[in-house]
Amino acid sequence: MVELEETVEKLKAGIGADNVLEVKYQPPRNVFVLVKTEKLKDAVSCVMKELGYQYIITISGVDLIKQNQFEVIYHLSDYSNTISLKVRIPRDNPKVPTITDIIPGATLYEREVHDMFGIVAEGHPNLTKLLLADGWPDDLHPLRKDVTVKQIRERLEEERKKGVRGI
Amino acid sequence: MLEESERAIFEVPIGPQHPALKEPILLLFKIEGDTIVDVMARPAYTHRGVEKATEARNYIQNIYLCERVCGICSCIHTLVYTQGVEKLADVEPPPRAKYIRVIMSELERIHSHTLWLGVAAHELGFDTLFYYVWRDRELVMDLLELISGNRVNYAMSTVGGVRRDISDAVAHQIKKGMEILRKRLDVYTEVVEKEPTLRKRVIDVGKLSPHDAVALCAVGPTLRMTGVKRDVRADDPYQAYDEIPFNVATYDTGDVLAQIIVRVVETYEAANIIDYAIDHMPSGPIKVKVPWNIAPNEIITRGEAPRGELFYYFKSNGTEKPERVKIRTPTLGNIPAVCEMLKGYHIAEIPIVFAGIDPCLSCTARFAFIDERKGKSWVWSGDQLRTYRRKYYKRYGR
């Protein structure tokens, strides 16, 4: 815990304390840190390069439909402690900068979040479908809260009738 | 060396349905002559929308849903899931339940690693080893069945503890089983160390450097075979792992041989952990009550599955259903690494290198029949299968 508190202090010093909007500890070895979207890349490179973290576990997307926002969480780890960096982006223009130039292992996770929520990682080398079928409609993002299972079924049936293959 | 424009690069798609693959995945290879230049993977032909489904079910129903994410590592999925819900609700499971969970997940690790060793032997064309290993795997399968009544989905962990206790008689059986297992593992260690036909196929094949393994965020045995000593059980101990001494198995060559050795050593370690856990298992209750509705909160939780780190993210909203459950299975983390491992090797080495990470893409284990002429399909139950087996062996078997 003490180690993690020090790490958060260093992160605050690295990107500026007023760019860190919220810090929430989850004992014993995790912390959620909300940062400003424009400071995301600085925060990731600070954690990875200066604080000695090596590994991204995954990227989680959360649909905060009441606030009309998406939350994107980057779970960075030094294998023992985890810093979960959060950003909040508007729901009608969901864009985050890519972090694949800092962490090559994040490629698939950015594609997954793009598939499921339609969150675009700007600058990603190959932001094509990963988990959804080839013929899946581009504007249907299944994990969004306003998309129900029934809607997905009906939409896919419609697409099949139109002659789209591979769904 | 030819100029870039003169080099003939062919695209060879392998999968999603292919005899060399055990599960559906599309691997799109760029091949120059017989050498792999580049690989692209499309893993999700069996995507079932589990994350979406969790949002429509309550915390108890989700245990059984998450158990079915994977057929081989079903125990660790329920363990990490229930561990997450307990953290959300701020409940501590009783100590005895923690030990039972450790014993189950280590038994599962043994079953998964021996299954992998058999599959790897089969991919190498060494089917004798495959049959021997899978025969010995039955030992662990029988123990799992003895404890839980099931061979695949054990349904042991529940929110707040475990559903079944391990009695002294069963504990004695497990210890006896581990003794036999160790003797069999000695045989396999000897095979891996001495058998030239096996060693020639695996030494210096599918190499991965520690630098690449870390940069591509590989997990589990795929990371440890490059010499990076990382294991969630040791680095971020959960359940009773902080009370149990064990070694993290590593090997430094980073080829398929290292994968085999790491998994064999891990199987030994798992047997030791089980013995220690049985000897030091505290007595007491196995389950505590957890509230039905869980207050708004968010947490992450991790566990070491046989294939590597398993990760869950939870967000609750005050009702009996979760707001969001995010699951990251280890195979997804290892796909960038295996694409790197395949580069520069030959087509003939694809099956073993790909099997090397122990890919677990989908997990369905149903015996279904489809009669095309009559347009009918039906599913056999376990009992029907057993009757069929008995009849078959009476007629043809020895």
Side-chain angles (χ1 to χ4, degrees):
Chain A
M1 255 327 256
V2 180
E3 203 184 321
L4 209 53
E5 276 164 19
E6 280 170 14
T7 317
V8 173
E9 285 310 314
K10 279 183 199 158
L11 175 67
K12 275 185 180 167
I15 64 164
D18 48 338
N19 292 317
V20 176
L21 302 172
E22 197 185 292
V23 178
K24 201 169 81 191
Y25 290 96
Q26 180 208 326
R29 279 176 287 272
N30 178 42
V31 61
F32 290 97
V33 182
L34 179 66
V35 296
K36 285 185 182 164
T37 316
E38 58 269 22
K39 284 285 168 190
L40 171 70
K41 279 197 95 150
D42 292 346
V44 172
S45 67
C46 174
V47 172
M48 299 300 281
K49 286 177 185 152
E50 285 160 37
L51 304 181
Y53 280 49
Q54 305 102 327
Y55 161 58
I56 182 159
I57 303 174
T58 189
I59 302 172
S60 310
V62 183
D63 188 353
L64 307 173
I65 195 162
K66 279 180 197 150
Q67 288 102 305
N68 202 26
Q69 277 178 325
F70 283 126
E71 196 169 70
V72 189
I73 314 176
Y74 298 80
H75 305 279
L76 307 171
S77 175
D78 66 349
Y79 295 98
S80 171
N81 296 312
T82 309
I83 292 188
S84 301
L85 278 181
K86 283 184 186 178
V87 289
R88 289 199 181 137
I89 51 173
R91 222 162 166 279
D92 34 12
N93 185 23
K95 277 181 189 158
V96 285
T98 182
I99 57 159
T100 46
D101 46 344
I102 308 168
I103 316 168
T107 354
L108 296 187
Y109 306 131
E110 285 189 347
R111 286 169 68 187
E112 186 188 355
V113 173
H114 178 241
D115 272 5
M116 294 300 163
F117 291 94
I119 296 168
V120 179
E122 283 180 307
H124 188 285
N126 175 27
L127 203 63
T128 49
K129 288 204 180 86
L130 176 74
L131 296 181
L132 299 178
D134 289 329
W136 191 279
D138 285 334
D139 57 334
L140 185 65
H141 301 294
L143 277 184
R144 288 190 179 187
K145 286 278 179 190
D146 51 359
V147 177
T148 62
V149 177
K150 198 175 162 224
Q151 276 171 347
I152 296 174
R153 270 194 204 126
E154 284 168 2
R155 179 71 194 277
L156 293 187
E157 196 51 45
E158 235 173 74
E159 295 286 322
R160 276 188 208 111
K161 273 183 195 152
K162 274 191 229 162
V164 177
R165 300 192 57 186
I167 29 175
Chain B
M1 192 75 189
L2 294 169
E3 289 296 313
E4 188 69 32
S5 57
E6 292 173 56
R7 287 164 66 192
I9 291 182
F10 285 101
E11 277 202 355
V12 181
I14 293 191
Q17 304 299 335
H18 192 274
L21 302 173
K22 299 281 167 289
E23 283 178 278
I25 182 171
L26 171 63
L27 296 168
L28 200 59
F29 290 95
K30 285 198 174 136
I31 306 241
E32 190 192 355
D34 190 22
T35 311
I36 299 159
V37 185
D38 199 13
V39 199
M40 194 208 77
R42 278 299 300 276
Y45 285 86
T46 41
H47 192 264
R48 290 159 291 168
V50 170
E51 286 178 26
K52 184 85 180 167
T54 54
E55 292 170 14
R57 285 161 175 78
N58 67 34
Y59 288 105
I60 301 294
Q61 289 171 320
N62 277 333
I63 301 173
Y64 305 101
L65 180 66
C66 290
E67 180 148 39
R68 280 148 185 82
V69 169
C70 180
I72 297 174
C73 25
S74 59
C75 174
I76 189 79
H77 270 278
T78 49
L79 193 156
V80 177
Y81 172 84
T82 50
Q83 172 177 292
V85 178
E86 283 155 11
K87 276 188 192 176
L88 265 183
D90 208 7
V91 176
E92 186 76 12
R96 189 174 173 87
K98 289 184 181 175
Y99 272 79
I100 292 174
R101 284 175 180 179
V102 166
I103 292 169
M104 284 306 283
S105 62
E106 292 306 318
L107 280 171
E108 182 182 77
R109 196 178 314 279
I110 295 173
H111 122 62
S112 176
H113 281 354
T114 43
L115 178 131
W116 177 85
L117 185 58
V119 171
H122 170 71
E123 300 292 3
L124 293 167
F126 194 175
D127 275 350
T128 318
L129 181 63
F130 163 56
Y131 289 124
Y132 273 123
V133 173
W134 276 41
R135 183 195 66 188
D136 296 331
R137 176 174 164 267
E138 283 304 307
L139 183 87
V140 184
M141 299 305 280
D142 288 345
L143 288 177
L144 285 165
E145 197 178 350
L146 185 69
I147 300 168
S148 70
N150 302 314
R151 274 171 67 90
V152 181
N153 292 328
Y154 317 112
M156 280 296 275
S157 284
T158 187
V159 177
V162 289
R163 294 179 61 216
R164 299 180 195 90
D165 204 353
I166 294 180
S167 68
D168 289 345
V170 172
H172 181 68
Q173 284 271 343
I174 299 173
K175 286 194 85 167
K176 254 172 51 189
M178 290 304 111
E179 253 167 57
I180 303 168
L181 181 84
R182 274 197 204 94
K183 278 186 201 137
R184 297 304 304 166
L185 281 173
D186 291 342
V187 176
Y188 302 131
T189 314
E190 206 184 324
V191 169
V192 175
E193 277 170 0
K194 290 185 184 152
E195 178 61 43
T197 53
L198 182 125
R199 290 179 70 88
K200 280 199 172 150
R201 283 295 306 272
V202 294
I203 290 181
D204 284 340
V205 170
K207 277 199 105 148
L208 187 68
S209 71
H211 176 265
D212 285 348
V214 172
L216 295 168
C217 301
V219 290
T222 313
L223 180 66
R224 291 195 282 276
M225 65 140 185
T226 63
V228 182
K229 201 172 178 178
R230 293 297 181 190
D231 189 320
V232 181
R233 291 175 292 168
D235 297 330
D236 187 2
Y238 54 98
Q239 303 301 332
Y241 281 110
D242 49 351
E243 296 161 22
I244 298 171
F246 67 97
N247 299 318
V248 176
T250 55
Y251 203 70
D252 47 11
T253 54
D255 51 9
V256 177
L257 178 73
Q259 301 244 26
I260 298 178
I261 290 174
V262 164
R263 287 199 173 87
V264 170
V265 175
E266 245 171 53
T267 316
Y268 273 114
E269 283 298 324
N272 294 343
I273 292 174
I274 291 167
D275 274 359
Y276 184 92
I278 286 175
D279 291 340
H280 295 80
M281 196 154 58
S283 55
I286 57 166
K287 195 170 172 264
V288 291
K289 252 195 150 150
V290 177
W292 192 250
N293 293 339
I294 294 175
N297 195 0
E298 63 180 338
I299 54 115
I300 65 161
T301 174
R302 308 159 74 194
E304 183 78 13
R307 286 160 191 75
E309 177 181 342
L310 175 66
F311 171 92
Y312 273 65
Y313 164 82
F314 283 90
K315 192 179 171 78
S316 58
N317 56 6
T319 63
E320 83 264 17
K321 287 174 187 166
E323 176 83 7
R324 174 92 170 96
V325 178
K326 158 85 191 168
I327 308 168
R328 202 294 309 266
T329 54
T331 302
L332 190 63
N334 278 333
I335 282 177
V338 78
C339 289
E340 187 61 36
M341 281 152 73
L342 283 162
K343 280 180 200 167
Y345 293 95
H346 302 297
I347 294 179
E349 283 147 2
I350 292 170
I352 181 59
V353 174
F354 185 67
I357 66 158
D358 198 359
C360 186
L361 302 163
S362 66
C363 309
T364 48
R366 258 262 187 100
F367 213 81
F369 294 89
I370 295 167
D371 190 332
E372 264 187 351
R373 274 172 305 164
K374 289 180 192 156
K376 272 201 304 192
S377 66
W378 67 94
V379 176
W380 266 6
S381 70
D383 281 338
Q384 280 169 313
L385 262 179
R386 209 165 291 134
T387 325
Y388 176 76
R389 187 185 71 195
R390 269 196 215 114
K391 269 191 202 156
Y392 179 90
Y393 279 106
K394 236 180 199 169
R395 220 160 136 194
Y396 306 107
R398 274 164 294 209

